[in-house]
Amino acid sequence: MADQPIAVGNDIHRLFDLSWVARKWSSRGIHVRICKLNSHPHSSPSFFVGFRPLSKNAYSLPSDDQMFETYEAGHLLTLVLDSERDNPLFRSPIVKNPKHILDLGTGKATVRGVDLFPPPVSWMPPNCVLEVDDALQPWTWREPFDLIYMRIMIGSFSDPEWDRIYKRCYEWVSLYHGRHLDANSNLDHSNLRPGAWIEQVEASPVISTDDGSIPEDSILHSWGINTRDAAKKSGRDLDAIDKMTDSIRKAGFVDIQEKNYKWPIGPWPRDKKYKEAGTVNAQHWLSGMEGWCMWLLTKFGSPVPWTKEEVQVYVANMRKELRTPRYHAYQRARRVWARKPFPNETVGKREENKKE
Ligand SMILES: C[S@@+](CC[C@H](N)C(=O)[O-])C[C@H]1O[C@@H](n2cnc3c(N)ncnc32)[C@H](O)[C@@H]1O
């Protein structure tokens, strides 16, 4: 399905009418808090709060209400696109009663969620723990995880940092830190238990179309070029979608499986599920774009770094084009899940890279 074009609908839904999507998902017990997007002036000083360096690593996205709303829209989008499944959250066939799950770069939420910034949540299920930490720093969790999950971490790490993260997910770790070795101590373990799973979902920043409806000289077309170019200069590429499978394999994981998606942007598709997904994704973009590109373009924009005002005008033009019903835009996305082999498992038994 992911290779086929998404059929275009004849009806034009109003882009901002998210209430029907929100109502439907709220009735399924999924909390939806998508408020009037585009209304954030970005003039408050807190806008730049997210750009502060943490452990010398500047993260390129702001940590503010608008960005958290963007994450929420992204979360809903992934649920809609897998809504036919009993479990739209992840695909890894983990054990029936998992004990520990780690969500790296959680943004907000599940099980043990780790992020550079505290999320704005007032209530959490009792089985969730949120920690403010830098995933690039040494990991000190003692429990081996049944699943390590990452979603939309694009632009968070350089290539060597990604390799470090996957290696850390896979490898045996020691918390002895030079202390006297004691055979009965539980300070040695792997972060993922053998047979446990790693899963990652990433999307491309490039806006695509299957029917040529977006002209080459459109602003939408320039987005992928401008943001990828700036990200490359910053040392943190935006191509996790294309590199993650190989990096996961290189770290030693087996039974690698992939599902490719097209995330429509806008309510243009004919099929109800895609129309719903496109409506949510349009909001995801409308609320996210300024935060996604402000740091990148003001630091690394071409040919010289852009001013804040130039970025704002650019984003305003992007918003205008995103609302154009005749543009049938989508972005590619991919989900990869893979298993950590058991110590005595032979390579011959492994089934490699199944694609859906
Ligand atoms: C684009 S958001 C995605 C959030 C969430 N995974 C989702 O799908 O909604 C990326 C998140 O990764 C976090 N992040 C980036 N670098 C990190 C690091 N070194 N350690 C922990 N979290 C990090 C950011 O703070 C941000 O919340």
Side-chain angles (χ1 to χ4, degrees), residues 81-295:
L81 283 169
D82 273 313
S83 52
E84 71 282 5
R85 298 184 62 82
D86 284 345
N87 172 8
L89 288 172
F90 61 85
R91 296 288 286 262
S92 298
I94 60 172
V95 288
K96 255 206 178 120
N97 298 307
K99 289 206 175 75
H100 302 291
I101 291 177
L102 176 66
D103 184 4
L104 278 183
T106 195
K108 51 201 318 205
T110 44
V111 194
R112 187 181 287 278
V114 179
D115 202 290
L116 293 173
F117 304 105
V121 289
S122 49
W123 179 86
M124 265 197 318
N127 63 325
C128 288
V129 184
L130 288 179
E131 293 176 9
V132 175
D133 210 340
D134 182 349
L136 290 170
Q137 295 303 307
W139 292 7
T140 50
W141 299 296
R142 294 184 177 201
E143 59 272 11
F145 295 106
D146 296 295
L147 171 67
I148 298 183
Y149 181 82
M150 291 181 270
R151 190 179 63 189
I152 320 186
M153 295 298 285
I154 171 176
S156 295
F157 307 120
S158 65
D159 286 357
E161 287 169 345
W162 274 117
D163 284 343
R164 203 190 317 162
I165 294 282
Y166 295 127
K167 206 166 158 218
R168 208 169 265 174
C169 292
Y170 185 91
E171 270 187 346
W172 190 256
V173 290
S174 172
L175 301 180
Y176 283 113
H177 297 310
R179 275 178 268 163
H180 175 67
L181 295 187
D182 168 2
N184 296 319
S185 165
N186 64 357
L187 290 178
D188 258 357
H189 68 283
S190 12
N191 283 315
L192 266 182
R193 67 172 85 250
W197 293 78
I198 184 171
E199 180 160 342
Q200 186 170 359
V201 179
E202 295 295 344
S204 167
V206 175
I207 295 181
S208 308
T209 182
D210 283 328
D211 58 4
S213 60
I214 305 177
E216 285 284 305
D217 61 355
S218 68
I219 308 274
L220 294 190
H221 184 70
S222 73
W223 173 268
I225 297 168
N226 288 330
T227 54
R228 285 170 71 189
D229 176 63
K232 197 171 203 50
K233 285 196 218 160
S234 82
R236 290 178 172 173
D237 284 344
L238 298 183
D239 52 7
I241 181 176
D242 294 314
K243 287 186 178 156
M244 62 183 172
T245 307
D246 283 344
S247 306
I248 286 173
R249 182 181 298 110
K250 195 169 94 186
F253 289 93
V254 298
D255 276 358
I256 298 171
Q257 295 174 64
E258 269 182 10
K259 180 170 165 60
N260 290 307
Y261 300 82
K262 283 180 179 171
W263 287 359
I265 311 172
W268 56 266
R270 189 172 61 199
D271 175 87
K272 205 159 168 277
K273 179 175 90 171
Y274 285 104
K275 185 181 288 302
E276 197 171 319
T279 304
V280 176
N281 200 19
Q283 296 297 334
H284 185 221
W285 277 74
L286 291 171
S287 69
M289 276 185 299
E290 189 160 320
W292 294 335
C293 75
M294 180 61 83
W295 184 84

